[in-house]
Amino acid sequence: MRQYTPMIQQYLRVKAEYDDAFLFFRLGDFYELFFEDAVKASQELEITLTSRDGGSEEKIPMCGVPHHSAAGYIEQLIQKGYKVAICEQTEDPKQAKGVVKREVVQLITPGTMMDGSKLAAKENNFIAAIDCFNEETFGLAYTDLSTGESKVTLLEGNQDILFDELATIGAKEVIASQGVIKQLLKGIEERCQAVISYEDQCHFSDEFQSVLDNVQDEKMNIPALRLLHYLKRTQKRSLDHLQPFSIYENSQFMKIDFFSKRNLELTESIRGKDKRGTLLWLLDETATAMGGRLLRQWLDRPLIQKKAIEKRLHLVDIFMNHYFERLDLCELLKSVYDLERLAGRVAFGNANARDLIQLKKSLMQIPAIRELLASIKDEATNRISENLDPCEELTDLLERSIVDNPPISVKEGGMIKDGYHEELDKYRDASRNGKDWIAALEKEEREKTGIKSLKVGYNRVFGYFIEVTRANVKFLEEGRYERKQTLANAERFITPELKEKEALILQADERSIELEYEIFLEIRKTVKTYIPRLQKTAKIISEIDVYQSFAAVSETRHYTRPSISADRKLTIEDGRHPVVEKVIGSQGYVPNDCYMDEKREMLLITGPNMSGKSTYMRQIALTAIMAQIGCFVPAEKADLPIFDQIFTRIGAADDLISGQSTFMVEMLEAKNAISNATKDSLILFDEIGRGTSTYDGMALAQAIIEHIHEKIGAKTLFSTHYHELTSLEEKLLRLKNIHVSAVEQEGKLVFLHKVKNGPADKSYGIHVAELAALPKELIERAEEILAELENGQLRHAAPKKEETKITGHDHEQLAFFGEPKATLDSREKKVLKEIQSINLLEMNPLQALNTLFSLQKKLKK
């Protein structure tokens, strides 16, 4: 340390406490970065890297950004997953003895962003804390610092349960103790794309009492306290807007694991990784940011309580049947700003006068919204209307105090209305009258001296002065003015009266600005006392917004109110995939029915590629999810059971990060469903087993179907290209064959996209390849090979110009090992007969493998 200057030593001491963050070190009007921070920041932010003397032999790398534009640079770093420590001067440089005192005033991280263009209005920005009590019990607490919403839960199960929950809430940052298993944290980084931070403090403190009132369980208390200590240590300011932790259990909602949410494209598309093309994209007609965030939360956690589902459906029905009231409501909601984040900014001390004007305008809509809801004359809407709090006193305060179009800065004046504060009005009057006196003085002196170019000016160095051009100085009476400054082309003068007025004006201006800031802080402090009421109102407004959004979409898309079946029956008439229908248009979409009951628990779906098997399966799941979040559904009629979980295996993708193949991912997702599904679950399996050899895949598919049928009893849709599996309908009582139809017209394949009972008659794989415009000669050769396969005549080797004619029965034409042989010996014929007697479809994979091993041994003897 001694080799560096005192200022660099100060920098290094601070940096040692924040070694995992970029340190923005305030020097005058700039934030400077040094050493490795400077090198890395210059690359990430694309700013110039320079150097400076720091006392050592070599110059120190340095880069910097102006303090007034630092927010944009900080936001860029946060977006890339970094942390930024803001180190400010905490001492007046004029009073400092030696190096100016500096301290970190805030640590900004991906989970603690309060504002900025990258903070999506309709998405929460959750920061979470975890604790592992054993291998199967995890504590999880999380909060959105920008809104104050806070929740805590205990999770029972393996670490995948924790990963799924963190992915569901989209946690940007996860807090853990130093003792947490590194492998678990690595999994969180990879699966959830979250930044890991550490906090070892988790003791109780009285200052946290209000937000922990609901939390009695000691295991829940620990992650909640860990999170609160981290926020207190890093943010170093008021956290009064944090709402009391609400406790929830996973079992209170439909469970949809991370992979199933991705496969169903609920909130993020598989291809573009964005909102377009998702169920959220379809349903989001919300008018407020708060409503948009709540809709996303509802999609992540569909309900499983019939009463709660019916309550939501009833309110959507009400808004559907009151078209004009809904339109008026939507217009009112468009004038409501983000009350939750405004309240957060007020508590955090970030809110400016424009934020308070947004708050006032939002509150001014509440009386009209209350009146409109009351006019509907329904018990549910009347109850909502009564619970809305317009906070009239706060609205009145803001109306009286803040000008309608205030400046962004809170330290330059111009925010407070005339007439609000008596002392401020006096300063303003003195300032305005003084300036009027200055204008009158200039006019009077021009008339007395006869100098038309004479003017009264002002600058910060000399204050007010009378300026006369050099050519006109000779016309001044001797002793009229006191000379103050000589310029090249003019002389500047003052008078005792002018200096007296100057003192009054400058004092009034300066004191006026100081007093305005003090008054604003008092107003903001008063607003802070309304935060709990504002948050309650925000919650109600967001719910209303989601209901009107569901109603608007349901009316536009011609959706139907679903009913909840009591006997586990599922009946969908003319059902559609909601997102696909929106993209291609209702005219081009072919609707389909689906019926499942106690005699029809499993549907085995066959049909050609591209015929719509996957779309059909997805639309059943999306219809169930839409019903259980309280929305109408895309069907002419829908009677649905309540599903406790949805599992999907749709599509294929290698998990390159963890080094798992398509087939391994497929098996892991199948295992997840088989291990956790109940009879009240919905399982969608699309072509299980296609990632391995034909017989392996077929054997696994059959074994999985039998296991679900016999051991679980869940509603299951299972699509396959293994036509041999369609014979299972004869032995599995609750399995039925259905197929997506297609026809050949003039040698071309035409997809009908209509689901019918019974198995498909053929696969049409070559026709699909032809539609993909594969080379004509390739298609023709494939047709030849298919014909040979169907006739049992294909040999291992490619066709040659001269072939040895092979005689004997068709099943004797292929040798088991080595080159093809013209004849088979007695041992091989015996093995062939044994193969003919085997029923593969009745074997499990292990039995099939053992039989194959036995046959191979016989052939090798």
Side-chain angles (χ1 to χ4, degrees):
M1 291 282 281
R2 272 180 263 172
Q3 64 176 310
Y4 296 113
T5 62
M7 191 271 288
I8 294 298
Q9 289 182 36
Q10 183 188 50
Y11 169 87
L12 290 170
R13 280 193 295 271
V14 177
K15 175 63 181 172
E17 297 178 24
Y18 296 90
D19 59 345
D20 63 341
F22 284 103
L23 182 62
F24 273 46
F25 194 74
R26 183 70 176 269
L27 288 176
D29 289 336
F30 279 78
Y31 286 114
E32 303 288 4
L33 297 95
F34 301 105
F35 299 100
E36 284 300 315
D37 275 8
V39 175
K40 200 167 184 178
S42 67
Q43 296 168 348
E44 296 288 357
L45 300 174
E46 298 182 0
I47 56 179
T48 304
L49 179 67
T50 61
S51 61
R52 68 172 291 163
D53 291 324
S56 61
E57 292 182 9
E58 295 183 6
K59 288 192 173 184
I60 296 169
M62 180 185 82
C63 68
V65 297
H67 80 93
H68 59 82
S69 60
Y73 293 105
I74 293 170
E75 197 174 333
Q76 284 185 55
L77 292 172
I78 300 302
Q79 195 68 19
K80 293 180 178 184
Y82 295 111
K83 304 173 186 177
V84 177
I86 308 298
C87 185
E88 296 283 4
Q89 296 175 179
T90 55
E91 183 181 24
D92 188 341
K94 295 175 183 175
Q95 299 175 357
K97 295 178 181 179
V99 180
V100 177
K101 196 180 288 184
R102 293 179 177 85
E103 293 177 7
V104 170
V105 297
Q106 186 183 9
L107 179 68
I108 305 175
T109 67
T112 58
M113 280 285 286
M114 286 292 291
D115 49 36
S117 60
K118 302 296 183 185
L119 191 63
K122 290 190 174 185
E123 291 180 26
N124 283 106
N125 193 62
F126 286 122
I127 178 171
I130 62 166
D131 272 274
C132 309
F133 301 109
N134 54 55
E135 290 184 358
E136 294 187 345
T137 307
F138 303 93
L140 172 66
Y142 59 90
T143 188
D144 183 341
L145 199 57
S146 68
T147 67
E149 182 179 359
S150 307
K151 296 188 178 183
V152 63
T153 188
L154 274 182
L155 302 171
E156 302 286 346
N158 61 28
Q159 62 184 23
D160 286 338
I161 299 292
L162 177 62
F163 293 158
D164 284 340
E165 196 64 15
L166 289 170
T168 292
I169 65 175
K172 301 293 191 300
E173 186 175 0
V174 175
I175 316 301
S177 71
Q178 298 282 353
V180 171
I181 302 168
K182 300 303 177 188
Q183 197 63 31
L184 177 66
L185 298 180
K186 184 181 178 184
I188 291 172
E189 284 182 302
E190 291 175 352
R191 284 274 293 273
C192 308
Q193 305 296 302
V195 172
I196 303 297
S197 299
Y198 296 95
E199 178 59 59
D200 290 328
Q201 295 292 332
C202 56
H203 62 273
F204 180 78
S205 174
D206 288 339
E207 62 187 310
F208 301 145
Q209 179 63 57
S210 60
V211 292
L212 292 171
D213 276 344
N214 302 330
V215 187
Q216 305 301 324
D217 189 292
E218 186 179 344
K219 287 183 177 178
M220 290 187 189
N221 252 310
I222 293 173
L225 284 164
R226 192 180 305 285
L227 178 58
L228 292 170
H229 275 287
Y230 178 80
L231 294 176
K232 177 188 173 186
R233 177 172 63 84
T234 60
Q235 301 310 297
K236 303 178 186 293
R237 62 190 68 197
S238 167
L239 299 172
D240 291 345
H241 69 298
L242 289 187
Q243 300 172 38
F245 279 96
S246 63
I247 301 169
Y248 73 97
E249 295 178 15
N250 255 1
S251 58
Q252 295 172 338
F253 305 98
M254 177 197 284
K255 294 179 186 175
I256 314 175
D257 62 53
F258 169 75
F259 296 108
S260 297
K261 285 179 179 174
R262 183 193 63 186
N263 291 335
L264 293 172
E265 298 185 296
L266 297 187
T267 59
E268 183 183 273
S269 65
I270 293 174
R271 287 178 178 269
K273 303 291 183 186
D274 55 10
K275 182 178 171 182
R276 181 175 172 77
T278 65
L279 186 59
L280 176 63
W281 169 71
L282 171 83
L283 295 178
D284 191 359
E285 294 291 335
T286 55
T288 68
M290 301 174 290
R293 290 195 295 272
L294 184 65
L295 170 56
R296 181 181 283 265
Q297 290 179 26
W298 283 9
L299 262 178
D300 283 330
R301 301 188 197 283
L303 301 172
I304 57 172
Q305 299 86 14
K306 182 177 179 180
K307 187 176 179 181
I309 295 170
E310 293 287 6
K311 176 188 171 185
R312 288 185 185 177
L313 290 171
H314 172 71
L315 281 160
V316 175
D317 210 352
I318 291 295
F319 285 122
M320 279 272 285
N321 293 325
H322 289 80
Y323 174 78
F324 293 108
E325 289 88 344
R326 190 179 79 239
L327 289 188
D328 291 342
L329 175 64
C330 192
E331 286 303 309
L332 290 169
L333 290 174
K334 287 177 182 177
S335 298
V336 177
Y337 292 86
D338 196 336
L339 291 174
E340 288 179 321
R341 284 187 171 160
L342 285 173
R345 287 172 60 79
V346 168
F348 228 54
N350 290 346
N352 60 23
R354 290 190 181 183
D355 291 326
L356 299 191
I357 289 298
Q358 288 185 353
L359 180 58
K360 180 190 76 172
K361 288 180 177 178
S362 301
L363 291 174
M364 289 173 70
Q365 310 306 315
I366 304 301
I369 293 173
R370 288 185 66 177
E371 187 178 339
L372 191 150
L373 291 171
S375 72
I376 294 176
K377 307 294 185 188
D378 179 84
E379 185 180 340
T381 55
N382 285 345
R383 192 159 49 246
I384 293 172
S385 173
E386 290 166 4
N387 288 331
L388 275 173
D389 183 358
C391 301
E392 291 100 337
E393 327 86 87
L394 178 57
T395 309
D396 178 62
L397 168 65
L398 297 176
E399 175 64 25
R400 289 185 293 107
S401 60
I402 309 292
V403 298
D404 291 334
N405 188 25
I408 295 175
S409 172
V410 296
K411 294 186 175 181
E412 296 178 5
M415 300 177 291
I416 307 300
K417 284 183 175 180
D418 289 338
Y420 176 72
H421 195 277
E422 185 177 349
E423 186 180 356
L424 178 63
D425 288 344
K426 288 179 180 178
Y427 285 122
R428 283 180 173 172
D429 184 59
S431 176
R432 288 166 187 164
N433 288 338
K435 288 173 182 175
D436 289 343
W437 184 87
I438 295 289
L441 173 67
E442 182 180 79
K443 182 180 179 182
E444 183 181 339
E445 290 301 313
R446 282 180 179 178
E447 290 174 355
K448 288 182 177 179
T449 61
I451 302 171
K452 300 294 185 185
S453 61
L454 180 148
K455 66 178 182 181
V456 179
Y458 171 82
N459 67 35
R460 291 187 178 183
V461 177
F462 295 108
Y464 284 97
F465 53 81
I466 298 170
E467 185 174 290
V468 179
T469 60
R470 187 174 292 280
N472 289 313
V473 170
K474 60 187 178 186
F475 299 116
L476 292 176
E477 295 178 18
E478 188 69 31
R480 183 172 183 81
Y481 301 139
E482 179 185 336
R483 193 181 301 273
K484 184 67 176 176
Q485 184 184 16
T486 301
L487 303 177
N489 297 316
E491 294 283 347
R492 288 177 174 173
F493 306 91
I494 58 171
T495 67
E497 295 83 5
L498 183 58
K499 296 315 288 182
E500 185 181 335
K501 286 293 182 183
E502 176 191 296
L504 176 65
I505 295 168
L506 294 183
Q507 183 188 17
D509 282 345
E510 186 177 333
R511 183 60 189 136
S512 173
I513 291 172
E514 289 175 358
L515 185 57
E516 271 208 66
Y517 181 61
E518 292 169 13
I519 294 168
F520 175 77
L521 293 182
E522 281 297 316
I523 294 169
R524 195 164 69 185
K525 187 176 178 182
T526 303
V527 174
K528 195 173 174 180
T529 63
Y530 286 85
I531 285 177
R533 292 170 65 179
L534 292 172
Q535 289 173 332
K536 181 183 175 184
T537 295
K539 186 175 185 300
I540 297 171
I541 289 290
S542 58
E543 288 185 6
I544 296 169
D545 196 9
V546 177
Y547 292 136
Q548 72 81 22
S549 178
F550 284 172
V553 173
S554 298
E555 183 180 61
T556 304
R557 314 301 309 174
H558 305 292
Y559 294 167
T560 305
R561 178 172 177 169
S563 58
I564 307 300
S565 65
D567 53 5
R568 296 184 65 244
K569 284 184 180 178
L570 183 151
T571 305
I572 297 174
E573 295 180 8
D574 286 340
R576 293 106 62 194
H577 188 298
V579 180
V580 174
E581 182 190 36
K582 180 177 178 179
V583 172
I584 69 172
S586 56
Q587 297 300 317
Y589 194 90
V590 179
N592 278 298
D593 299 342
C594 183
Y595 179 74
M596 303 177 83
D597 60 12
E598 70 279 358
K599 296 180 180 178
R600 194 180 166 97
E601 298 278 16
M602 300 186 75
L603 299 178
L604 187 65
I605 310 169
T606 49
N609 285 313
M610 292 178 59
S611 61
K613 298 190 299 296
S614 297
T615 300
Y616 178 73
M617 295 168 72
R618 282 189 176 101
Q619 79 184 42
I620 304 303
L622 293 180
T623 299
I625 290 169
M626 289 173 69
Q628 288 181 227
I629 64 172
C631 184
F632 286 15
V633 299
E636 288 300 313
K637 179 185 176 185
D639 189 30
L640 304 166
I642 293 177
F643 292 110
D644 62 353
Q645 301 173 87
I646 290 181
F647 300 94
T648 71
R649 173 58 221 171
I650 300 174
D654 288 357
D655 187 351
L656 299 176
I657 294 174
S658 55
Q660 293 171 347
S661 68
T662 299
F663 185 65
M664 177 56 82
V665 171
E666 190 175 273
M667 290 300 101
L668 288 171
E669 292 184 19
K671 177 214 168 197
N672 181 44
I674 290 167
S675 302
N676 297 298
T678 70
K679 67 180 179 60
D680 294 319
S681 301
L682 175 64
I683 300 175
L684 311 179
F685 279 166
D686 188 18
E687 298 183 36
I688 285 284
R690 62 183 169 184
T692 185
S693 67
T694 302
Y695 287 114
D696 272 358
M698 196 187 309
L700 280 165
Q702 179 173 337
I704 288 169
I705 290 171
E706 290 174 352
H707 183 88
I708 295 172
H709 185 276
E710 299 299 329
K711 305 290 186 185
I712 301 174
K715 295 276 190 298
T716 305
L717 282 77
F718 196 111
S719 75
T720 185
H721 281 294
Y722 299 134
H723 287 266
E724 294 83 352
L725 296 179
T726 57
S727 63
L728 289 173
E729 186 180 61
E730 298 171 9
K731 59 178 286 191
L732 301 179
L733 297 178
R734 297 187 302 281
L735 181 144
K736 301 298 176 186
N737 285 313
I738 62 173
H739 71 279
V740 187
S741 56
V743 296
E744 287 184 66
Q745 292 181 356
E746 301 177 1
K748 301 292 183 183
L749 183 63
V750 177
F751 298 117
L752 300 180
H753 301 295
K754 200 68 181 174
V755 175
K756 298 182 179 180
N757 287 324
D761 54 354
K762 57 193 292 189
S763 176
Y764 299 103
I766 293 176
H767 288 82
V768 175
E770 191 174 7
L771 287 174
L774 265 65
K776 186 178 179 183
E777 60 271 20
L778 186 153
I779 299 295
E780 291 172 351
R781 175 58 183 150
E783 288 172 340
E784 290 176 13
I785 295 170
L786 178 63
E788 292 175 6
L789 284 167
E790 289 174 342
N791 293 324
Q793 294 173 345
L794 185 68
R795 301 209 329 239
H796 275 314
K800 298 178 181 178
K801 290 183 180 177
E802 292 182 9
E803 267 183 10
T804 305
K805 188 173 181 182
I806 299 175
T807 58
H809 297 292
D810 288 344
H811 65 264
E812 295 176 350
Q813 289 182 341
L814 203 59
F816 284 87
F817 303 98
E819 293 298 316
K821 299 199 303 185
T823 58
L824 300 176
D825 60 30
S826 60
R827 187 174 70 253
E828 290 170 341
K829 288 180 179 179
K830 190 176 179 181
V831 171
L832 276 174
K833 285 182 180 178
E834 196 171 338
I835 290 173
Q836 281 182 313
S837 67
I838 294 171
N839 188 346
L840 279 172
L841 297 180
E842 291 184 355
M843 289 184 176
N844 64 35
L846 186 59
Q847 290 170 333
L849 189 62
N850 287 333
T851 302
L852 179 61
F853 181 72
S854 173
L855 291 170
Q856 189 183 54
K857 279 179 67 177
K858 290 178 181 179
L859 285 169
K860 284 183 176 180
K861 280 181 182 178

